[in-house]
Amino acid sequence: MDWRTVVTRLFGACHAIAADGEFLGGMAVFEGTALAVVGTTNHAAVGVDLALRQARAVLATIAEHPGRPLLLLVDTQGQALRRRDELLGIHRAMAHLGCCLDLARRRGHPVVGLVYDQALSGGFITSGLMADVCHALPEAEIRVMRVPARVTKLPEDLLESLSRTNPVFAPGVANYVAMGGVRSLWGDDLAAGLRAALADRDTADRRAEEGARRGGRRAAADVIRRVLEA
């Protein structure tokens, strides 16, 4: 779904959100509450410049509007695969963005992620997955790697087989709901989804517990508990 359609269905005319290239930023008023909005569009490849620009917007919200809720609109093809960005330290820029979002959460800013189109790889890990909670539209595409990704060193036929029974090996928004990475899918009433997300003030990271309950990550919650108790 186009970002303009998303913000219109969420806020009507009560917003000042604009795109500058692949960067989305601005503010909106939702049922009397001001929100800061930061995100990406056009299947953005997140490089050093775009990561730092998002980070600056998050830090400006923390400095200028203490406690203001932050909505992350996610549409990314992942990190930029360019020599320039590698030389400039893309890993550090993306980690900085993640740290800024973590700081916002620690400073009392409710942070809600919404995957409205595409969320891949590192561009998703350091944005929507750093929110207090991440939601998605049913038609969104989410994956960290393609099934035949070389990084696993496993035969493609084995990965295909695993992807049919284990959400960890499979792309798709439904699998991320099963794993707890995405809390819910928002239906036609996007405003109802945002209203519920903002009303949920529990900022504890429940992804592992939800993944266990939904059967998508059966062992993660127990392993985390055992490590913490050791």
Side-chain angles (χ1 to χ4, degrees), residues 25-46:
M27 64 84 63
V29 177
F30 181 75
E31 298 181 347
T33 299
L35 281 76
V37 179
V38 178
T40 51
T41 188
N42 296 328
H43 295 357
V46 180

Side-chain angles (χ1 to χ4, degrees), residues 6 20 40 63 80 90 99 113 126 154 180 182 202 218 220:
V6 172
D20 183 3
T40 51
I90 186 173
C99 288
T126 55
L154 296 175
V182 171
D202 180 6
R218 298 179 180 89

Side-chain angles (χ1 to χ4, degrees), residues 82-169:
R82 293 189 293 257
R83 181 177 176 82
R84 170 185 179 274
D85 291 281
E86 294 291 343
L87 291 173
L88 290 174
I90 186 173
H91 60 295
R92 297 180 65 181
M94 297 186 79
H96 175 61
L97 172 57
C99 288
C100 291
L101 290 170
D102 180 64
L103 177 63
R105 295 170 62 186
R106 293 174 185 271
R107 293 285 180 87
H109 295 260
V111 182
V112 177
L114 175 62
V115 180
Y116 69 95
D117 195 321
Q118 179 175 273
L120 276 60
S121 192
F124 179 40
I125 293 170
T126 55
S127 59
L129 287 182
M130 285 300 300
D132 291 316
V133 61
C134 186
H135 302 269
L137 301 187
E139 62 270 26
E141 178 187 2
I142 303 178
R143 55 181 164 83
V144 172
M145 64 181 72
R146 306 178 73 90
V147 168
R150 298 175 182 175
V151 68
T152 64
K153 309 295 188 193
L154 296 175
E156 184 174 343
D157 58 348
L158 174 59
L159 289 170
E160 288 285 359
S161 175
L162 289 170
S163 71
R164 289 191 287 271
T165 59
N166 192 327
V168 173
F169 290 91

